[in-house]
Amino acid sequence: MGIKNLAMFAASYRLRKIRLGYKPFFIWIEPTSFCNLKCVTCPQSMGRPIERGYMRLDLYKKALSEVSGFKPMMVSLHLGGEPLMHKEIAEMIRLAKTAGLEVTLASNAALLTKDKAQEIINAGLDGITVNFSADKASFEKNYKGAKWDIVYNHMREFLEIKKARGSVKPIFSIQLLVNENEAASAGKNIEELKRLFNGLPVDSIIDVKMHNWSGDYADKSGKKAWGKGTPCSHLWSSMVIRWNGDVVPCCRDLEGDMVLGNINNEPLSEVWNNRNSVDMRKKHKEGRFKEIPICRNCSKLWEGTTLGSLVARQISKLPLMIGARLSRK
């Protein structure tokens, strides 16, 4: 059960254990690394010559067969690409639900047509997150290739379907990504988003501070490393599986720069405590972040995160995991 793992995580993270006696309780599986947009904040838009592809269904089933044994709190079907581009995304959701898993995804909603919405809702999707803004000009500037009106209408259609069914799920979350220059206007933007979706079953609308994607977005975001570094909680809580079976340490490694193992060659349970994973936790424990390329410039390590805030963040996700909303925002 995920709650038990959460307690073990808190103890192991506090003691900085490098070999863990529990399994990861958050799992990311990437259906595809292709994306239909070129968002200015995303490493996908930096033009790096990275091999891209779609996860084969047999590889996905192999991953699920192991992940289901971990009994994680949640499986997220996204990473660097747009999951709705995978032609079998509904089947992937259905298979995850058949395996007894809570499944969610993040989408830019540009491809979230009414038919696609019906398809993934019918498959049993538990939650979906969309990055959006009430500011049309800013949205289309930052999300290259997206049309504000189309995305807005897709979101409304999805919510109308949910409302007509009278169901709690899928939990629908809207995220407003803000950089340091936009922080002052975030509150006004959120109020406008609430107005735009008034009467529709949106479960949360929150602003999320921009980070620098392990340094890939450092020059544009303005975020730099400062203060006291904190070991990354992902190494103690999560596992990320890319479209080709590579296992990477966190959901910010969109390009597979730090491969810990590959599920084609090694069971997930072994990758979790293999030499690469243990060595990475050891370096974080000792504050040797600069020895790890994807960590040395990652702004998330320098935000003064506490154990209490980490646990609170995981607990805040419980409404999705247990299938009930504790509050309406």
Side-chain angles (χ1 to χ4, degrees), residues 168-192:
V168 170
K169 293 185 177 183
I171 301 294
F172 194 96
S173 303
I174 299 174
Q175 286 190 164
L176 171 67
L177 293 181
V178 296
N179 60 35
E180 294 177 349
N181 297 325
E182 299 168 331
S185 62
K188 182 178 179 181
N189 200 317
I190 287 177
E191 288 305 311
E192 180 61 12

Side-chain angles (χ1 to χ4, degrees), residues 7-25:
M8 295 180 71
F9 153 75
S12 297
Y13 183 79
R14 181 185 180 90
L15 296 172
R16 302 292 193 259
K17 291 185 177 181
I18 60 175
R19 293 186 182 277
L20 306 178
Y22 58 92
K23 297 298 189 292
F25 50 89

Side-chain angles (χ1 to χ4, degrees), residues 64-319:
L64 281 187
S65 67
E66 292 195 69
V67 168
S68 60
F70 295 175
K71 301 189 184 304
M73 288 183 171
M74 190 188 308
V75 172
S76 297
L77 296 182
H78 64 274
L79 186 61
E82 167 53 50
L84 298 186
M85 290 187 70
H86 199 297
K87 64 181 181 180
E88 295 178 294
I89 187 63
E91 177 66 3
M92 291 175 130
I93 294 168
R94 188 192 67 78
L95 287 170
K97 294 306 300 176
T98 300
L101 299 167
E102 296 287 324
V103 59
T104 184
L105 57 79
S107 171
N108 56 49
L111 303 176
L112 190 61
T113 62
K114 189 173 183 178
D115 286 344
K116 182 60 70 174
Q118 293 274 16
E119 190 179 356
I120 62 177
I121 291 173
N122 289 341
L125 185 68
D126 292 299
I128 183 170
T129 299
V130 179
N131 290 339
F132 194 59
S133 171
D135 186 329
K136 181 176 180 178
S138 175
F139 175 81
E140 293 187 351
K141 177 183 177 181
N142 291 323
Y143 295 85
K144 295 290 186 180
K147 297 298 182 182
W148 190 93
D149 293 316
I150 292 176
V151 172
Y152 175 56
N153 287 333
H154 283 173
M155 294 168 73
R156 288 192 64 90
E157 287 176 343
F158 187 100
L159 290 163
E160 291 285 3
I161 293 170
K162 177 182 173 180
K163 183 177 181 179
R165 295 187 179 203
S167 60
V168 170
K169 293 185 177 183
I171 301 294
F172 194 96
S173 303
I174 299 174
Q175 286 190 164
L176 171 67
L177 293 181
V178 296
N179 60 35
E180 294 177 349
N181 297 325
E182 299 168 331
S185 62
K188 182 178 179 181
N189 200 317
I190 287 177
E191 288 305 311
E192 180 61 12
L193 285 170
K194 290 180 179 179
R195 185 191 69 78
L196 287 169
F197 293 96
N198 184 44
L200 293 171
V202 176
D203 296 280
S204 68
I205 302 176
I206 60 172
D207 62 303
V208 178
K209 292 181 180 178
M210 197 81 72
H211 59 80
N212 67 4
W213 291 108
S214 300
D216 281 341
Y217 189 60
D219 293 337
K220 294 184 179 180
S221 72
K223 280 237 176 191
K224 302 182 185 300
W226 67 82
K228 184 179 179 180
T230 306
C232 180
S233 64
H234 281 277
L235 301 179
W236 278 263
S237 65
S238 312
M239 179 169 279
V240 183
I241 307 165
R242 298 189 69 235
W243 67 272
N244 60 359
D246 281 345
V247 178
V248 295
C250 81
C251 61
R252 296 177 184 92
D253 187 2
L254 304 189
E255 309 294 340
D257 290 324
M258 186 72 188
V259 177
L260 303 175
N262 187 291
I263 64 173
N264 287 294
N265 309 315
E266 187 178 8
L268 284 173
S269 57
E270 292 184 13
V271 176
W272 181 236
N273 275 318
N274 71 7
R275 183 176 62 181
N276 293 330
S277 297
V278 169
D279 181 64
M280 199 167 180
R281 292 189 195 108
K282 186 173 188 291
K283 287 176 179 174
H284 273 245
K285 173 182 179 179
E286 297 171 354
R288 296 155 55 199
F289 310 122
K290 292 184 178 180
E291 295 181 21
I292 307 171
I294 67 166
C295 301
R296 66 168 63 110
N297 294 317
C298 184
S299 60
K300 297 300 290 186
L301 298 177
W302 308 90
E303 294 180 352
T305 305
T306 64
L307 176 59
S309 66
L310 286 173
V311 174
R313 187 184 307 161
Q314 314 314 335
I315 292 175
S316 71
K317 298 172 183 175
L318 285 175

